[in-house]
């Protein structure tokens, strides 16, 4: 899904698949293969030998083993070295795909490898559970989430962080919380709240990460830090310390990302409900009414309707705005 989103929005993409599966794992059954670390390195070496590695952004997601994660990290390290004489010319978005809903779906030896790579990434886009794993902070409230983000900024010096799909208790809303650090690693928090959609979707993390690449590049390209310097020429695209949370390119990007996503997922939910209702009124399933066949039918019906809603990807209509969150390192302001 990530490659498709990037291409639709005008990016030239070289996709290096870490798995080749018949379908996404939300179906709970699939056939296919996982790429080894050697295969990942070999494909990258093939790109290098033909001078096809002039990338300005790298987006990495699921890797099937600790060795594969290390191979992905070595690629990012090589691309970073190539751009070292030109600050801002390479940017790594790391989605540390490890698990969700309180459970790991990778081997435990993957976790320390990701922790070692955090310092080398420009932006990470973990979900709530993955932030807990990376920071060691149990997230039970907005306060503990902010504590986890501060810890990641300070311990790993990560420039930008966005935490996706944050929810507490039985809230009817989901929130996305982000921050771009200052030079002293203090945070600049923002939050965007959106209504929860009562449906399980697969692939939304890929969609979020890909949209973030496009919208962040877009926001950065429109930002000058002086009359003679653009933000895109600054290492990791970090805004000057006097830029407040809501004026950060990361916050502006996240607003547009969620505008596209929420609209498309709402339309997907309506299409899913219509498909399931139509099936219920039609011929009986050839496999009967078993729990498994019902689950497979529901999962297929909930496939994200990207192709049918390209206009919502390209021209999002913003409904939900970012709000600044109080920074505990600053004096309290009742209006913040």
């Amino acid at each position: 899904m990530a490659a498709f989103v990037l291409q639709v929005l005008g990016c030239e993409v070289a996709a290096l698949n870490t798995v080749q599966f018949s379908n996404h794992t939300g179906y709970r059954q699939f056939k296919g293969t996982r790429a080894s670390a050697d295969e990942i390195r070999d494909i990258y070496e093939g790109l290098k030998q033909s001078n096809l590695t002039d990338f300005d952004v790298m987006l990495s997601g699921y890797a099937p083993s600790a060795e594969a994660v290390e191979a992905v990290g070595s690629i990012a390290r090589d691309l970073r070295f190539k751009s070292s004489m030109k600050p801002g010319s390479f940017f790594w978005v790391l989605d540390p795909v490890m698990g969700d809903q309180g459970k790991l779906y990778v081997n435990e030896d993957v976790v320390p490898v990701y922790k070692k790579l955090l310092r080398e990434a420009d932006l990470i886009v973990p979900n709530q559970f993955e932030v807990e794993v990376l920071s060691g902070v149990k997230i039970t409230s907005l306060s503990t989430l902010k504590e986890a983000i501060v810890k990641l900024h300070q311990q790993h010096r990560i420039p930008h962080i966005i935490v996706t799909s944050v929810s507490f208790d039985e809230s009817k809303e989901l929130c996305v919380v982000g921050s771009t650090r200052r030079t002293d690693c203090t945070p600049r928090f923002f939050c965007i709240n959106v209504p929860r959609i009562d449906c399980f979707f697969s692939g939304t993390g890929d969609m979020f990460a890909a949209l973030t690449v496009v919208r962040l590049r877009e926001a950065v390209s429109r930002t000058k830090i002086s009359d003679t310097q653009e933000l895109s020429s600054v290492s990791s695209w970090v805004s000057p310390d006097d830029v407040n949370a809501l004026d950060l390119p990361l916050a502006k990007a996240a607003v547009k990302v969620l505008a596209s996503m929420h609209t498309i997922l709402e339309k997907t939910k309506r299409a899913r409900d219509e498909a399931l209702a139509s099936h219920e009124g039609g011929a009986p399933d050839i496999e009967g009414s078993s729990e498994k066949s019902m689950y497979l039918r529901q999962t297929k019906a909930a496939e994200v309707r990207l192709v049918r809603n390209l206009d919502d990807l390209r021209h999002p209509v913003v409904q939900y705005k970012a709000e600044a969150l109080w920074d505990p390192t600053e004096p309290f302001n009742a209006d913040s």
Side-chain angles (χ1 to χ4, degrees):
M1 184 183 294
F4 176 78
V5 171
L6 290 167
Q7 289 168 327
V8 164
L9 294 177
C11 298
E12 297 289 346
V13 178
L16 198 166
N17 294 324
T18 55
V19 297
Q20 188 71 30
F21 288 163
S22 56
N23 48 270
H24 65 69
T25 57
Y27 284 90
R28 300 177 184 169
Q29 58 182 19
F30 56 90
K31 298 288 187 179
T33 58
R34 295 173 171 85
S36 68
D38 286 342
E39 289 169 332
I40 292 170
R41 292 191 186 96
D42 192 47
I43 292 172
Y44 180 67
E45 287 302 318
L47 292 170
K48 283 182 67 175
Q49 71 182 9
S50 297
N51 299 321
L52 297 174
T53 57
D54 51 339
F55 305 118
D56 53 5
V57 175
M58 173 173 155
L59 169 59
S60 62
Y62 174 74
S65 67
E67 294 77 12
V69 175
E70 289 175 341
V72 170
S74 69
I75 292 172
R77 200 171 297 116
D78 186 62
L79 292 170
R80 177 84 65 199
F81 177 77
K82 286 179 55 180
S83 67
S84 57
M85 300 302 293
K86 190 178 178 183
S89 62
F90 175 71
F91 192 94
W92 181 17
V93 180
L94 169 61
D95 185 356
V97 180
M98 295 182 289
D100 203 1
Q101 305 288 323
K103 295 181 180 179
L104 285 173
Y105 43 65
V106 295
N107 292 332
E108 290 186 3
D109 62 351
V110 168
V111 176
V113 180
Y114 270 125
K115 287 183 177 181
K116 289 179 182 178
L117 291 178
L118 291 179
R119 185 175 288 265
E120 301 184 48
D122 298 291
L123 164 65
I124 64 170
V125 288
N127 61 34
Q128 183 174 338
F129 171 68
E130 289 159 350
V131 168
E132 291 183 342
V133 172
L134 294 172
S135 69
V137 176
K138 178 65 177 176
I139 297 171
T140 57
S141 64
L142 196 55
S143 177
T144 51
L145 174 59
K146 289 162 71 175
E147 178 187 345
I149 292 174
V150 168
K151 189 173 180 180
L152 291 172
H153 274 321
Q154 293 180 345
Q155 289 191 352
H156 303 282
R157 301 190 65 83
I158 304 169
H160 309 277
I161 300 170
I162 297 184
V163 186
T164 63
S165 303
V166 178
S167 63
F168 303 112
D169 300 323
E170 298 300 319
S171 172
K172 294 183 179 180
E173 289 187 322
L174 293 175
C175 66
V176 168
V177 177
S179 171
T180 294
R181 66 167 174 82
R182 300 182 182 89
T183 52
D184 62 358
C185 290
T186 54
R188 285 175 279 189
F189 292 118
F190 63 87
C191 176
I192 307 167
N193 293 294
V194 297
R196 183 193 296 269
I197 299 173
D198 186 20
C199 182
F200 175 77
F201 306 102
S202 288
T204 52
D206 286 350
M207 183 180 175
F208 184 95
L211 282 168
T212 299
V213 167
V214 175
R215 298 309 179 191
L216 181 58
R217 288 183 71 204
E218 178 182 85
V220 167
S221 70
R222 297 174 178 174
T223 304
K224 283 193 171 185
I225 59 176
S226 71
D227 290 339
T228 59
Q229 187 177 19
E230 297 182 350
L231 183 58
S232 59
S233 67
V234 174
S235 180
S236 297
W237 304 344
V238 175
S239 300
D241 288 354
D242 59 352
V243 176
N244 66 47
L246 297 186
D247 289 329
L248 293 169
L250 190 65
K252 295 176 181 178
V255 166
K256 296 186 76 171
V257 169
L258 290 177
S260 286
M261 288 196 64
H262 193 74
T263 300
I264 290 172
L265 295 181
E266 279 189 323
K267 291 181 177 181
T268 296
K269 171 65 162 57
R270 288 197 294 270
R272 166 195 177 270
D273 293 346
E274 291 170 3
L276 292 176
S278 174
H279 182 88
E280 289 172 4
D285 194 301
I286 59 173
E287 297 182 43
S289 57
S290 70
E291 182 178 341
K292 179 179 178 180
S293 63
M294 175 62 74
Y295 177 80
L296 294 175
R297 186 160 60 247
Q298 291 173 340
T299 303
K300 181 179 179 181
E303 292 280 8
V304 179
R305 270 52 169 194
L306 273 181
V307 176
R308 303 179 192 181
N309 296 291
L310 295 183
D311 195 55
D312 296 310
L313 278 179
R314 293 174 173 141
H315 309 291
V317 177
V318 173
Q319 303 178 62
Y320 309 104
K321 297 184 178 181
E323 301 175 4
L325 297 178
W326 174 57
D327 181 347
T329 66
E330 296 179 342
F332 177 72
N333 182 332
D335 296 327
S336 63

